[in-house]
Amino acid sequence: MAQKQRTSIKRPSSKDVAKLAGVSRATVSAYLNRTRYVSPELSEKIEQAIQELHYTPDPVARALKLQDTKTIGLIIPVMSNFYMPLMQVVNEVAHQNAYGLLLCSSEEDPEREREVLEIFLAKRVSGIMMAPCSEKNRKLLNDIQQKGTPIVQVNRKIDGLEADSVVSHNFKAAYTATEHLIHKGRKRIVFLGYDPDSLVNAEKKTGYDAALADYKIADNLTILVKEHQREQIRTAFRTFLETGQSFDGLICTTQGKTAIGLQLLKAYALRIPQDVAVIGFDDTPWSSLLWPPLTVISENTYTMGEEATKLLLKRIENKEKIAPQHIVLEDELIIREST
Amino acid sequence: MAQKQRTSIKRPSSKDVAKLAGVSRATVSAYLNRTRYVSPELSEKIEQAIQELHYTPDPVARALKLQDTKTIGLIIPVMSNFYMPLMQVVNEVAHQNAYGLLLCSSEEDPEREREVLEIFLAKRVSGIMMAPCSEKNRKLLNDIQQKGTPIVQVNRKIDGLEADSVVSHNFKAAYTATEHLIHKGRKRIVFLGYDPDSLVNAEKKTGYDAALADYKIADNLTILVKEHQREQIRTAFRTFLETGQSFDGLICTTQGKTAIGLQLLKAYALRIPQDVAVIGFDDTPWSSLLWPPLTVISENTYTMGEEATKLLLKRIENKEKIAPQHIVLEDELIIREST
DNA sequence: ATGAAAGCGCTAACAG
DNA sequence: CTGTTAGCGCTTTCAT
């Protein structure tokens, strides 16, 4: 009764093929998976039967037997445009290699992340690609790998975790951004905004701090805010603006923050770059069309995803354990007129 | 050997639970699914056993038996930011209702769309949400529904197909856009760009044509181009610009085209809106930050996804067939300084 | 009210 | 070389 109501004839099984071809199901399986020799004559017959019945192996049954669904599970912390290029490649490469793509966001919540991991595991994904939202699931991730499901971290990584990772050099990127502003003569640079719980963001913050220190700038104007809460970012920055503290530089660490930052600057009639020079993270098609055209740190999310997917697929196919690889991509400073 | 290498003890099955609780697997199943009465005493014992073993039912096995994976399959024509809000809701609502999300893009290719549909079907998704890329798979889609897998179309719909749909009123939107430009005194309005194979795009084109006709404007400046080819759009528009045809209005039918259109206008030193008034589709956080701030038709993709997901879930749960629902959302004209 | 047993469609030992 | 059989973990008649 819970069985799905299917009006038509149900799909053929390997049994049907076997019967029609006059062989055993084992041989059909062998033929399909090239798992042992099958004589040309039988192969021929089987092939015909398959064609005739329009047979396709049932992936669910196969999954039950093999404990693997040929699916890669992708966990991103939040559904934002930033991850689109990533999803694009993962989807494409996965599809090309006959893998499916199971997607879920953790909403920056470690508890939910754990839940999703467990669901993915239960669903027998072949491997997991994820941008971890904290260090909290370190142990779980380790266990998962140990038990044989490869994990590759992308964009964010948990320090010391024995799992592949491909990330941007966030420290350097933020350092470069800050330095660039300093070179432009800015001394009161605000960092919008710092989320101590976020892995990438913390790195960026460190880069910012380091640059400030290296150039002997004492004023550390860090605006603290939970990264993923749109309205909270707005409020935090507005609050800062209301205090009337003077500043002449602004670093926005994500696309979302950049948009909000620019909107508020505009609302407060602050001129860019005369009053405040601004630099954002992530280059988008809009960056050069803004007024003024925005200086950015461009992260190559596409390449990130590409490397990560290749790595993951390699892990899935070659079960032998080799030391985790850690790829770090350099970001690019694109100077436009906002600084 | 193909079996996954799992160093640790394998996960407990309902059999283990049954044994530990001193009952039969049937009872365990009954307890879990509330599918028949189970005495409080046994329930108690079973619950304890479950806790003790950390048992979770195996979704794959369940899927094999039930022919359903509690997963919704999402097919989008292309991985673009436009679909992000959609994915956001689908993911969220699906997750809340304990459904997984399987994602794949059709790359605007009907053949690939067919392939993906077949894969999803084989994988026993509970339902399919899709933005069809052409009318080509009409028959297949019909069959799929007939056989019991609900489909809801989103953003794009195949005319006359017996499947739910929730889309924007593209005709009206384009009409409004064109009319707005006309009211601004523009007479030579270019439509960038027309892809006859694209379902939405064709509707937009019709709206544009209709407005032109209603206002007795003879010059139909339609730039033909395959919608999803980034470089082709650029080339097509550049070619148009090179011809030196005069024009004073520009309608860009997608985010991507808007970005490219603006970039080229800038490159050709055409002033907005003095030389040419431009209106784009889709409001983004950047729209108001561009120079000049961009007039747009804002489509509420989020709501679209929300309605679609609700509809799909309803179809999945209530197996009785009711007539397909067709929801059409009104778009909003947001006037800024580019027109 | 519960248990025993069959079966979803597949693969992989084990025989022959 | 190929067939027979068991079993992956679950649900569901059918019996009791």
Side-chain angles (χ1 to χ4, degrees), chain B residues 14 25 33 55 58 62:
Chain B
S14 72
R25 289 153 75 223
N33 305 315
Y55 169 75
D58 183 331
R62 184 177 269 172

Side-chain angles (χ1 to χ4, degrees), chain B residues 207-237:
Chain B
Y208 163 79
D209 287 345
L212 253 37
D214 286 356
Y215 286 89
K216 316 262 187 264
I217 294 183
D219 300 304
N220 189 312
L221 304 176
T222 299
I223 298 180
L224 216 113
V225 61
K226 282 285 171 196
E227 175 158 25
H228 51 297
Q229 307 283 21
R230 197 184 193 71
E231 276 319 307
Q232 288 189 17
I233 295 169
R234 193 182 303 277
T235 308
F237 192 37

Side-chain angles (χ1 to χ4, degrees), chain A residues 230-288:
Chain A
R230 197 182 191 72
E231 277 320 308
Q232 288 188 17
I233 296 170
R234 194 182 303 278
T235 308
F237 192 37
R238 180 178 286 129
T239 305
F240 174 84
L241 289 168
E242 289 295 343
T243 64
Q245 283 183 70
S246 79
F247 68 107
D248 52 16
L250 174 64
I251 298 177
C252 303
T253 55
T254 60
Q255 283 183 42
K257 283 178 213 143
T258 305
I260 291 170
L262 292 175
Q263 279 162 11
L264 283 173
L265 253 32
K266 191 173 184 177
Y268 280 74
L270 289 164
R271 293 166 307 164
I272 304 171
Q274 298 91 327
D275 297 331
V276 17
V278 8
I279 181 167
F281 270 75
D282 308 339
D283 197 30
T284 76
W286 306 114
S287 304
S288 61

Side-chain angles (χ1 to χ4, degrees), chain A residues 14 25 29 33 55 58 62 65:
Chain A
S14 71
R25 291 156 75 223
S29 174
N33 305 314
Y55 168 76
D58 183 331
R62 184 175 268 173
K65 181 66 185 178

Side-chain angles (χ1 to χ4, degrees), chain B residues 6-178:
Chain B
R6 303 206 170 260
T7 36
S8 71
I9 333 82
K10 71 180 182 56
R11 16 188 326 146
S13 73
S14 72
K15 200 169 169 182
D16 300 317
V17 176
K19 198 181 304 172
L20 185 60
V23 301
S24 78
R25 289 153 75 223
T27 309
V28 175
S29 174
Y31 169 74
L32 284 163
N33 305 315
R34 316 201 164 313
T35 188
R36 71 183 195 193
Y37 181 90
V38 176
S39 73
E41 302 80 46
L42 294 193
S43 296
E44 169 73 6
K45 283 187 192 168
I46 294 172
E47 185 53 40
Q48 287 200 354
I50 288 176
Q51 301 292 354
E52 193 169 331
L53 299 174
H54 295 294
Y55 169 75
T56 5
D58 183 331
V60 179
R62 184 177 269 172
L64 177 60
K65 182 67 185 175
L66 262 26
Q67 301 290 36
D68 185 321
T69 46
K70 291 269 278 176
T71 298
I72 99 166
L74 176 61
I75 308 178
I76 60 181
V78 48
M79 292 271 178
S80 76
N81 288 347
F82 174 80
Y83 286 102
M84 194 39 105
L86 182 74
M87 296 178 37
Q88 215 172 301
V89 237
V90 181
N91 171 62
E92 203 47 38
V93 180
H95 183 79
Q96 276 164 14
N97 292 66
Y99 279 80
L101 176 56
L102 203 52
L103 175 69
C104 198
S105 95
S106 65
E107 299 298 315
E108 299 282 9
D109 174 3
E111 187 48 37
R112 171 150 166 180
E113 183 176 84
R114 194 191 50 70
E115 183 198 358
V116 175
L117 282 166
E118 253 138 34
I119 294 174
F120 279 11
L121 243 45
K123 290 202 172 185
R124 301 297 190 286
V125 297
S126 314
I128 294 172
M129 182 180 309
M130 69 185 295
C133 63
S134 79
E135 309 231 341
K136 299 233 176 72
N137 291 314
R138 168 195 297 276
K139 184 163 173 358
L140 175 58
L141 293 173
N142 230 320
D143 288 355
I144 293 175
Q145 288 238 110
Q146 232 66 57
K147 295 196 191 168
T149 305
I151 296 175
V152 20
Q153 306 175 88
V154 72
N155 189 45
R156 308 173 171 193
K157 75 185 283 281
I158 294 178
D159 220 52
L161 181 67
E162 292 260 327
D164 296 325
S165 69
V166 18
V167 299
S168 280
H169 200 320
N170 292 302
F171 174 91
K172 192 193 255 182
Y175 188 99
T176 305
T178 313

